[in-house]
């Protein structure tokens, strides 16, 4: 099993959710986060003054799935989250050792 953590633009969240659900990946967790990558934030102007915003709002989408589904889920996230601009985000794939569904006690693949 693997856990996918995708850090994406907030404006792409609905498209990513819809695309994942259409492909059968309906179980996910969404968290509002802030961060920065290579762009190191942005410089904006307000009332004639420049100021630097060094962390930008992003959304983290997390889903845990069987190893055989990872590449398909990655392709879906990339294609639906991409704008071809700096700041589109990153995706991390992590190993998952154990999953337990609290309600039933089911474990691992059956708990997904």
């Amino acid at each position: 099993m693997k856990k996918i953590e995708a850090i994406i633009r907030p404006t792409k969240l609905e498209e990513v959710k819809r695309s994942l659900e259409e492909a059968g990946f309906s179980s996910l967790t969404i968290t509002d986060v802030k961060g920065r990558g290579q762009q190191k934030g942005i410089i904006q102007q307000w009332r004639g003054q420049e100021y630097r915003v060094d962390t930008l709002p992003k959304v983290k989408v997390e889903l845990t799935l069987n190893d055989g589904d990872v590449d398909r889920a990655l392709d879906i996230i990339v294609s639906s989250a991409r704008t071809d601009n700096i700041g589109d985000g990153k995706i991390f794939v992590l190993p998952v050792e154990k999953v337990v569904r609290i309600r039933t006690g089911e474990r691992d693949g059956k708990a997904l």
Side-chain angles (χ1 to χ4, degrees):
M1 293 176 294
K2 301 286 189 221
K3 179 179 182 182
I4 294 176
E5 294 184 356
I7 310 297
I8 63 170
R9 295 174 181 271
T11 57
K12 300 301 275 180
L13 176 60
E14 290 305 317
E15 187 176 344
V16 169
K17 279 183 1 186
R18 184 178 56 252
S19 298
L20 286 169
E21 189 166 348
E22 287 172 0
F25 303 113
S26 57
S27 298
L28 45 87
T29 300
I30 298 167
T31 310
D32 291 322
V33 297
K34 287 187 176 188
R36 70 180 197 184
Q38 292 179 343
Q39 81 270 22
K40 298 180 184 141
I42 56 174
I43 296 175
Q44 295 183 334
Q45 285 200 349
W46 188 68
R47 293 188 178 185
Q49 297 286 339
E50 279 191 359
Y51 66 97
R52 180 179 210 58
V53 178
D54 67 351
T55 57
L56 301 172
K58 300 289 181 180
V59 175
K60 180 164 61 169
V61 178
E62 300 172 84
L63 59 155
T64 303
L65 32 77
N66 290 310
D67 291 352
D69 293 327
V70 171
D71 287 334
R72 188 165 61 104
L74 290 174
D75 291 342
I76 290 166
I77 295 168
V78 168
S79 65
S80 55
R82 175 182 283 154
T83 68
D84 289 325
N85 294 307
I86 292 174
D88 276 351
K90 295 250 185 338
I91 302 174
F92 305 93
V93 179
L94 310 162
V96 174
E97 292 185 24
K98 183 112 357 228
V99 176
V100 178
R101 178 175 287 137
I102 294 172
R103 179 177 53 87
T104 63
E106 294 170 302
R107 294 179 181 263
D108 301 327
K110 290 181 181 180
L112 295 178

